[in-house]
């Protein structure tokens, strides 16, 4: 929830939709910072588990390396655990969840039990051709999760994370053959969520081909 200047309280449960590489992660982080709510990325949670060698990480990696979705049962469990944390009381920005209709349905039914709902679903819209070009230039820090781009978002020192000084890499799941698979999976399993949230009257689309600052401005207008 957010207290507006007029004293009214506004809920801030936000879902970011969009193909992998559409820039929803970058925007989600900025929204979280501006509105003071946590940024929750299921992809980051899985990657942290892979790095720490947990059983969850080992299981998730099998799917992630193939460009496939981690099964709903596993994903829903980690997400529901995370949103129970105290820092989520005032809302959150979900980045990469839900990715299937069953995931959205579980989230809705859990929120309903609390008398709550998803307030905004923001679709960052980018055509597939742009996505393939963008993702092959993406570089990530596996230590702190920061992402960069060889053309659009360069780190101060080539190949090194600005935030923690670790080496930047092309994530296995950003490699071109995996990206193509991820786009197919996106169109088949995740895109139907656009209609799902349209029906729930919480869908807003922004043109994700614009500069990140312009995309963010458009999102802030929606959330105002
Ligand atoms: P991301 O960083 O959001 O692009 O996620 C990277 C990978 O993690 C995806 O390609 C999936 O394999 C897995 N993943 C992340 N979020 C989900 C989700 N909500 N459902 C299933 N798999 C997911």
């Amino acid at each position: 929830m957010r207290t507006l200047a007029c004293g009214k309280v506004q809920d801030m449960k936000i879902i970011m939709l969009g193909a992998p590489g559409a820039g929803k992660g970058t925007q989600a982080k900025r929204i979280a910072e501006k509105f003071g709510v946590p940024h929750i990325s299921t992809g980051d949670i899985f990657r942290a588990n892979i790095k720490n060698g947990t059983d969850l990480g080992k299981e998730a990696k099998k799917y992630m390396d193939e460009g496939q979705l981690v099964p709903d049962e596993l994903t829903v469990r980690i997400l529901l655990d995370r949103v129970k944390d105290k820092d989520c009381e005032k809302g959150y920005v979900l980045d990469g969840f839900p990715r299937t209709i069953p995931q959205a349905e579980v989230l809705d039914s859990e929120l309903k039990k609390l008398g709550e709902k998803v307030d905004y679903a923001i679709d960052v819209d980018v055509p597939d051709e742009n996505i393939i070009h963008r993702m092959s230039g993406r570089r990530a820090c596996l230590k702190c999760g920061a992402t960069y781009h060889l053309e659009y978002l360069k780190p101060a020192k080539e190949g090194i994370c600005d935030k923690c000084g670790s080496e930047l890499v092309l994530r296995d799941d950003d490699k071109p053959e995996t990206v193509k698979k991820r786009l197919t999976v996106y169109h088949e399993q995740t895109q139907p969520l656009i209609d799902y949230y349209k029906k729930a009257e919480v869908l807003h689309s922004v043109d994700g081909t614009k500069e990140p600052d312009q995309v963010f401005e458009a999102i802030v207008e929606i959330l105002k």
Side-chain angles (χ1 to χ4, degrees), residues 135-140 168-176:
M135 283 178 87
S136 54
R138 199 149 89 157
R139 294 294 178 271
L168 299 176
V169 297
L170 176 64
R171 280 181 356 201
D172 283 344
D173 58 351
D174 284 344
K175 292 185 175 151

Side-chain angles (χ1 to χ4, degrees), residues 47-127:
R47 281 184 289 276
N49 275 275
I50 292 173
K51 196 167 153 263
N52 294 328
T54 67
D55 287 345
L56 168 68
K58 281 180 199 141
E59 184 64 17
K61 190 173 190 315
K62 292 193 260 176
Y63 300 94
M64 290 168 77
D65 286 351
E66 292 293 312
Q68 300 294 340
L69 295 184
V70 177
D72 285 342
E73 205 236 346
L74 200 63
T75 311
V76 162
R77 192 152 34 91
I78 60 146
L79 190 275
L80 293 181
D81 267 0
R82 176 65 184 91
V83 297
K84 280 183 197 138
D85 288 349
K86 187 134 184 67
D87 66 336
C88 292
E89 274 176 357
K90 294 180 182 147
Y92 37 76
V93 191
L94 299 187
D95 163 16
F97 185 99
R99 258 180 160 101
T100 64
I101 297 275
Q103 289 181 12
E105 287 171 346
V106 174
L107 179 64
D108 276 353
S109 79
E110 288 298 311
L111 288 175
K112 207 170 167 193
K113 287 183 200 161
L114 304 169
E116 295 174 358
K117 65 174 190 59
V118 168
D119 302 298
Y120 300 93
I122 298 175
D123 174 38
V124 182
D125 188 24
V126 179

Side-chain angles (χ1 to χ4, degrees), residues 108-191:
D108 276 353
S109 79
E110 288 298 311
L111 288 175
K112 207 170 167 193
K113 287 183 200 161
L114 304 169
E116 295 174 358
K117 65 174 190 59
V118 168
D119 302 298
Y120 300 93
I122 298 175
D123 174 38
V124 182
D125 188 24
V126 179
D128 284 8
E129 316 72 273
N130 302 39
I131 300 272
I132 293 168
H133 174 70
R134 277 185 187 189
M135 283 178 87
S136 54
R138 199 149 89 157
R139 294 294 178 271
C141 172
L142 299 184
K143 188 160 181 225
C144 74
T147 48
Y148 300 85
H149 195 280
L150 296 179
E151 282 172 55
Y152 314 116
L153 189 63
K154 295 181 185 175
K157 195 172 165 208
E158 201 187 315
I160 301 293
C161 178
D162 289 348
K163 298 197 175 125
C164 73
S166 301
E167 195 188 338
L168 299 176
V169 297
L170 176 64
R171 280 181 356 201
D172 283 344
D173 58 351
D174 284 344
K175 292 185 175 151
E177 57 287 5
T178 317
V179 171
K180 285 190 191 135
K181 250 185 246 161
R182 291 175 73 193
L183 281 171
T184 308
V185 169
Y186 167 76
H187 290 300
E188 284 172 8
Q189 303 199 51
T190 308
Q191 212 172 15

